[in-house]
Amino acid sequence: MGSVERLIVVVLFDGVDLLDVTGPPEVFALLRRETDDETGYHVVLAAETMDPVTTSAGVRVLPDITFREVSGKRIDTLMVPGSVDIDDQRRVHALTDPAVVGRVKELAGRSRRVASVCVGAHLLAAAGLLDGKRATTHWSTAQQLAADHPAVEVDADPIFIRAGDVWTGAGITACLDLSLALVSEDFGEAVALRVARQLVMYLKRPSGQSQFSVPIEPVSTTRRMAGLRHHITQNIARPLTITDLAEHAHVSERQLTRIFKTELGTTPAAYIESARVEVARNRLETTDETLERVASVCGFGTVDTLIRAFRRRLNTTPTEYRSRFRHSV
């Protein structure tokens, strides 16, 4: 059987947010590493002409194909990034060029599904693709989206929302999660989780820092949970109690436990331990720190606690793990 590639078209236009363009394709590119055949995605950047497109960051990007040329192809997924303007009071406004809106509407009609990246939801809404649907966007423009498009049910809390064959994401990191969800839909959860681990490892290793997501966990679906996970990774060396987390999230301890169970299918304590193990794995792989130091900076307190956590989570010891996976960066 020959290879089957799904065509993903990323819309390009002057002033587009650079990370909106480059983030999702990185997820799709990593899929090839995790599959045994040639099945996967073919990502192209489409613009009005083949001239370089200047992004909001000032970086110029070269299109692969024009809108006219790609309109004759069968599109699997249309990815629509966004663009913003900042006024003199530092207020953020999403931009919607009528010409781009027209192209999005045209290409969406040839696409199996459509996904907006961050404020790209405003382009989808202007094209009439979100009418009667629940959608999200970056929190800074959610009120604008609701005011400009009353027919859209705007929900500023979720990281991403699926409404049939239309997906909307809240921000660039959230849209990495959205992209992983697309991979999961196409190739299964197991493959998506392997892609997530590859992506997270790639992003965190050059800096050697400990802020990262635990890749074996499901993605967060609300900003509250995303905020909690971020808080945990930023304070991993400190004692993290249920009381502390509940206060941070402005909920009761009982509600906090329920949130973790509903969102991640685990308890706060179990999640914290898994996060600490991930930090410890990174340090064991990339540093020569003593086990005492690793235990301390990862919040385990003692080496014995570190060892017990590794046995529970990985069925090995920190020393055995380091001997197998230690490498220079």
Side-chain angles (χ1 to χ4, degrees), residues 240-316:
L240 289 167
T241 66
I242 293 180
T243 300
D244 294 334
L245 294 182
E247 290 179 355
H248 177 78
H250 304 293
V251 297
S252 68
E253 293 181 20
R254 178 176 295 181
Q255 186 177 359
L256 179 82
T257 301
R258 186 163 55 247
I259 289 171
F260 269 85
K261 184 65 175 179
T262 301
E263 292 264 353
L264 303 180
T266 189
T267 65
Y271 179 82
I272 291 169
E273 182 178 82
S274 69
R276 285 177 168 148
V277 167
E278 288 296 325
V279 180
R281 286 172 62 161
N282 174 250
R283 302 190 84 92
L284 291 169
E285 292 172 20
T286 61
T287 77
D288 292 318
E289 293 174 342
T290 65
L291 293 188
E292 287 79 7
R293 173 65 177 168
V294 172
S296 176
V297 299
C298 296
F300 286 109
T302 68
V303 173
D304 285 344
T305 304
L306 171 67
I307 292 173
R308 287 197 297 270
F310 261 65
R311 287 197 181 280
R312 273 193 299 270
R313 298 283 170 177
L314 305 176
N315 195 32
T316 188

Side-chain angles (χ1 to χ4, degrees), residues 200 204-205 207-214 229-230 232-237 275-276 278-280 282-283 297-298:
V200 171
K204 74 181 175 65
R205 291 197 191 283
S207 66
Q209 298 176 1
S210 62
Q211 60 257 31
F212 58 92
S213 298
V214 179
R229 295 173 77 169
H230 179 72
I232 289 170
T233 58
Q234 290 299 303
N235 296 277
I236 203 72
R276 285 177 168 148
E278 288 296 325
V279 180
N282 174 250
R283 302 190 84 92
V297 299
C298 296

Side-chain angles (χ1 to χ4, degrees), residues 2-65:
S3 63
V4 178
E5 287 190 320
R6 302 167 187 256
L7 178 62
I8 296 182
V9 176
V10 180
V11 174
L12 282 184
F13 51 90
D14 282 334
V16 68
D17 287 341
L18 178 61
L19 286 178
D20 288 4
V21 173
T22 59
E26 181 68 18
V27 176
F28 302 136
L30 288 170
L31 174 69
R32 185 63 58 88
R33 301 185 192 178
E34 298 302 327
T35 55
D36 296 327
D37 54 37
E38 295 301 310
T39 301
Y41 299 113
H42 177 54
V43 180
V44 298
L45 309 182
E48 191 63 42
T49 71
M50 293 298 289
D51 295 334
V53 171
T54 303
T55 66
S56 61
V59 176
R60 294 191 299 170
V61 178
L62 292 176
D64 299 304
I65 195 170

Side-chain angles (χ1 to χ4, degrees), residues 13 17 20 80-85 92-98 100-102 104-105 114-131 135-150 152 154-156 166-171 223:
F13 51 90
D17 287 341
D20 288 4
V80 183
S83 178
V84 299
D85 180 47
V92 180
H93 302 275
L95 302 178
T96 52
D97 184 332
V100 178
V101 171
V104 167
K105 186 173 183 179
V114 180
S116 65
V117 184
C118 200
V119 299
H122 292 258
L123 291 169
L124 297 191
L129 301 174
L130 298 182
D131 287 352
T136 193
T137 187
H138 192 274
W139 62 267
S140 64
T141 67
Q143 289 187 345
Q144 178 191 348
L145 183 62
D148 291 348
H149 304 281
V152 181
V154 179
D155 188 342
V166 179
W167 302 62
T168 52
R223 289 196 177 100

Side-chain angles (χ1 to χ4, degrees), residues 166-220:
V166 179
W167 302 62
T168 52
I172 182 58
T173 55
C175 285
L176 295 180
D177 291 329
L178 185 153
S179 300
L180 286 168
L182 298 180
V183 171
S184 178
E185 180 185 51
D186 295 340
F187 298 98
E189 181 72 8
V191 171
L193 289 174
R194 294 202 302 271
V195 171
R197 178 173 288 278
Q198 289 293 334
L199 178 69
V200 171
M201 288 174 67
Y202 173 78
L203 289 176
K204 74 181 175 65
R205 291 197 191 283
S207 66
Q209 298 176 1
S210 62
Q211 60 257 31
F212 58 92
S213 298
V214 179
I216 59 173
E217 299 288 356
V219 298
S220 304

